[in-house]
Amino acid sequence: MSTPEDVWSTRLRAAVDDHPGAVAFDVSSYVAAGRKRALRNRAAAVLATVAAVAMVAAGAALATGGARSEAPQPAPSVPSVPTFRVGTNGWVAVDAWQGGGQVYLVRPGEDARRLDVAGSDASTDACPAWSPDGERLMFGRLGASSEPSSGGAELVIVPVDQSGAAGKPTVIALDGFDVLPGHDAHPCGIWAPDGRWVALAGTGEVWVVDTQAGAIRRLPDLRPSDLEWRPGTDELAIVGDMGTSRAARTLSTPVSVYSVSTDELRQLGAVEAAHITWSPDGATLAYTGGETDPPDLSLVDSDGANERLLVAETGGNLHGIGPVWSPTGDRIAYQRLTGQGERHEVVLANVADGTETVIAAPETDGEMWWPFTVSWSPDGTTLLYAAWTEDGEAPGTAGVIAVPADEPTNVTVLTDTIDPVPNYYSHQWAPSQMWGRQ
């Protein structure tokens, strides 16, 4: 079985070969130095790209006379969302890079524990996602001999009780599953609201899997950067084009909506996007564009009508999973660069009027936590960071923290012993289902 260093080295060599304009470096030393140091070494080159894209976007805005500067319209209705009840398991599921592909469960006041599932010792597991009822955990698996095009990928679904103990797994073979060159090889699925269907993306296809019957539908000619099930429906929104390899830019595409019941695709009006998030009532889609589009956050109704701007100039980013709508319906979270290397801050946009609240990097024991990805707790009160710290210019720790949205200084460190790799570039839709409830 390949070691993590072998996998990263292979991908980095491919990325360098595909991107001759990148800063030259010795790949072996680069990998050996560790993931966080590698990210910092790449920051200058990526920031130059972000700056160039920003200049192009600014020029486009001037050329169009600022046509997208209209004021936000009234927010969609906010549904009644229940808070945690007694018995909520509260587990957060993460995968760990340094273990070669393992899934861990973490929650406040307890040490991280590895999810003990039959077959995991002879495989690598990644991309955990909780079912809507919080009782089952799904993740992607590659066997010991599996490589990115070997056809050995599987979805594993396992019941998990309140103590974190796993039951008997259900394994669904994904024969023919493959990934784009340079991307993480694990299948990475998200649950539909009914807890039966699962969607994931491979090379040029979106797979829709019936977890009860094992049937698989494959939607061709799609390389999405985001997938989102519409709440309360069997509809899957599919957007973005990630290109033919890891070195390609992510571009906007028309929003395609797939219905499980009709087995048909339709387009959502004239909207084009690269990253999306549904309101919890399913009435509104929030979206941002790709790397060559203006950095705006916009809204559109579920029928494709009433397109409007919520926030102009959201800023550049190197990390993140796009906008993430709060389960309470009133705010949307996104990440943006602070102007210091690849450090990001979190911004909460008010859906009613577009006003923003900026959350600076949280601090614990003198260390600042910089987010890779940010998503919400199921009750909408708390932000979940997969993040890293720095001690001056040296790498610090990495882990998962919980940050109350209205009291962001009251941070809870769920774990600082696991380096979480949610593969946010390869699977930007996955972290939204990291935090489960029962």
Side-chain angles (χ1 to χ4, degrees):
M1 180 168 57
S2 299
T3 67
E5 289 78 10
D6 293 337
V7 174
W8 277 102
S9 180
T10 300
R11 294 175 188 167
L12 287 169
R13 293 182 192 280
V16 171
D17 292 342
D18 289 343
H19 200 333
V23 177
F25 57 86
D26 178 75
V27 172
S28 298
S29 299
Y30 186 84
V31 173
R35 183 171 181 270
K36 290 183 287 296
R37 180 179 175 186
L39 286 169
R40 285 195 298 276
N41 287 346
R42 291 180 54 222
V46 180
L47 282 170
T49 302
V50 171
V53 172
M55 291 178 65
V56 172
L62 289 172
T64 59
R68 292 174 53 83
S69 61
E70 66 269 17
Q73 297 192 13
S77 60
V78 177
S80 175
V81 178
T83 58
F84 286 132
R85 70 174 189 266
V86 176
T88 297
N89 61 32
W91 289 114
V92 173
V94 296
D95 55 18
W97 168 72
Q98 77 270 29
Q102 299 171 352
V103 174
Y104 285 82
L105 301 179
V106 298
R107 64 182 176 188
E110 300 185 32
D111 293 335
R113 55 179 299 167
R114 184 182 176 188
L115 185 69
D116 186 11
V117 180
S120 292
D121 290 339
S123 65
T124 63
D125 302 334
C127 293
W130 289 103
S131 60
D133 61 8
E135 296 182 356
R136 293 167 294 157
L137 189 66
M138 170 180 63
F139 54 86
R141 171 176 285 177
L142 294 177
S145 61
S146 295
E147 294 298 335
S149 59
S150 66
E154 299 172 332
L155 280 182
V156 180
I157 301 170
V158 59
V160 179
D161 66 21
Q162 292 187 10
S163 70
K168 181 180 179 180
T170 297
V171 179
I172 301 174
L174 302 177
D175 296 333
F177 180 82
D178 198 0
V179 296
L180 296 168
H183 290 253
D184 181 73
H186 291 85
C188 203
I190 55 170
W191 291 94
D194 65 1
R196 173 174 178 172
W197 294 88
V198 167
L200 61 150
T203 300
E205 293 181 318
V206 171
W207 293 46
V208 183
V209 181
D210 184 342
T211 62
Q212 293 182 9
I216 298 175
R217 303 177 186 179
R218 296 166 66 166
L219 313 180
D221 302 322
L222 296 166
R223 297 180 299 210
S225 52
D226 208 349
L227 302 170
E228 295 284 344
W229 290 97
R230 182 183 171 197
T233 75
D234 69 349
E235 295 182 342
L236 175 71
I238 305 167
V239 300
D241 187 340
M242 298 183 72
T244 58
S245 74
R246 174 66 177 82
R249 287 179 172 179
T250 298
L251 303 177
S252 294
T253 67
V255 179
S256 298
V257 179
Y258 174 75
S259 169
V260 171
S261 56
T262 66
D263 194 24
E264 293 178 346
L265 276 169
R266 63 177 174 86
Q267 285 193 5
L268 186 69
V271 175
E272 295 193 359
H275 307 291
I276 55 176
T277 182
W278 284 106
S279 62
D281 62 2
T284 309
L285 185 74
Y287 63 94
T288 57
E291 295 178 42
T292 59
D293 295 319
D296 297 339
L297 174 61
S298 300
L299 306 176
V300 65
D301 292 349
S302 59
D303 60 0
N306 195 23
E307 182 182 355
R308 66 268 193 197
L309 180 69
L310 181 64
V311 178
E313 299 296 327
T314 57
N317 62 79
L318 302 179
H319 308 314
I321 57 174
V324 187
W325 211 307
S326 166
T328 54
D330 56 340
R331 291 179 286 188
I332 297 173
Y334 68 89
Q335 293 171 232
R336 70 182 179 198
L337 288 161
T338 65
Q340 299 176 300
E342 59 186 278
R343 299 168 180 172
H344 288 67
E345 61 191 6
V346 176
V347 182
L348 304 182
N350 189 303
V351 178
D353 58 13
T355 57
E356 298 187 299
T357 300
V358 178
I359 299 179
E363 181 178 350
T364 61
D365 297 327
E367 290 188 318
M368 310 297 289
W369 288 85
W370 304 101
F372 284 119
T373 67
V374 174
S375 54
W376 292 90
S377 65
D379 65 357
T381 65
T382 306
L383 296 164
L384 184 70
Y385 286 37
W388 86 96
T389 69
E390 290 178 327
D391 183 7
E393 295 300 320
T397 60
V400 179
I401 62 174
V403 182
D406 296 318
E407 297 181 74
T409 58
N410 188 22
V411 180
T412 300
V413 178
L414 300 182
T415 180
D416 59 2
T417 61
I418 295 173
D419 190 352
V421 183
N423 299 306
Y424 50 86
Y425 190 90
S426 300
H427 310 294
Q428 293 176 320
W429 51 88
S432 62
Q433 293 180 335
M434 288 168 59
W435 196 330
R437 69 177 176 188
Q438 188 169 342

